[in-house]
Amino acid sequence: MTAGVVSAGLGDLDLDISASAWGWMIALALLGQVAAWLFISSGSRSLAANTVAALLLLQPVLAIAFGFVVLSERPTWIQLAGAAVVVGAVWTATRHPHHPDSTSSHGSGLHDPISDEHRSSRPTHR
């Protein structure tokens, strides 16, 4: 959408393409974006939140790696430095849980008021 707005503003927007090209663009949008995010959202339900966040942050790093291996692209030093920063940040953030309840029985690390209710109703033994 942004590319279309910028192209229209610069006068470089050419919508006069063949029907087969439009079909390929629609297929690319549906398969490359919509389907991918549907798979991500359905697959991430069974993973911990920090794992999903780490995997999503590693996606651009893997894009650089696949570009190098598959397309013989040569990444710049800035891209490699950025990838190193991302990998370091993901490693630092996921090596130890920050909160003691991040490994709760639900696996989400979120506040569970039902569990709190049961905890408060149990007698404490000292």
Side-chain angles (χ1 to χ4, degrees):
M1 171 116 178
T2 304
V5 171
V6 170
S7 296
L10 296 175
D12 294 335
L13 184 62
D14 183 15
L15 297 177
D16 189 24
I17 59 175
S18 66
S20 65
W22 276 109
W24 282 111
M25 285 184 9
I26 291 169
L28 177 65
L30 291 176
L31 293 175
Q33 294 295 315
V34 175
W37 281 106
L38 288 174
F39 288 136
I40 288 170
S41 66
S42 66
S44 64
R45 291 181 188 148
S46 61
L47 298 173
N50 62 343
T51 303
V52 174
L55 291 173
L56 289 175
L57 283 173
L58 290 177
Q59 184 267 338
V61 174
L62 294 175
I64 292 172
F66 286 138
F68 177 76
V69 172
V70 176
L71 302 174
S72 300
E73 292 180 346
R74 301 286 177 212
T76 65
W77 287 107
I78 293 175
Q79 288 174 316
L80 293 174
V85 168
V86 168
V87 169
V90 167
W91 178 77
T92 301
T94 59
R95 65 186 175 144
H96 297 295
H98 295 290
H99 302 298
D101 66 341
S102 64
T103 56
S104 69
S105 63
H106 298 290
S108 64
L110 299 176
H111 178 69
D112 187 5
I114 295 173
S115 295
D116 288 345
E117 180 181 311
H118 290 294
R119 262 187 243 125
S120 65
S121 64
R122 280 189 256 155
T124 57
H125 301 287
R126 292 188 185 197

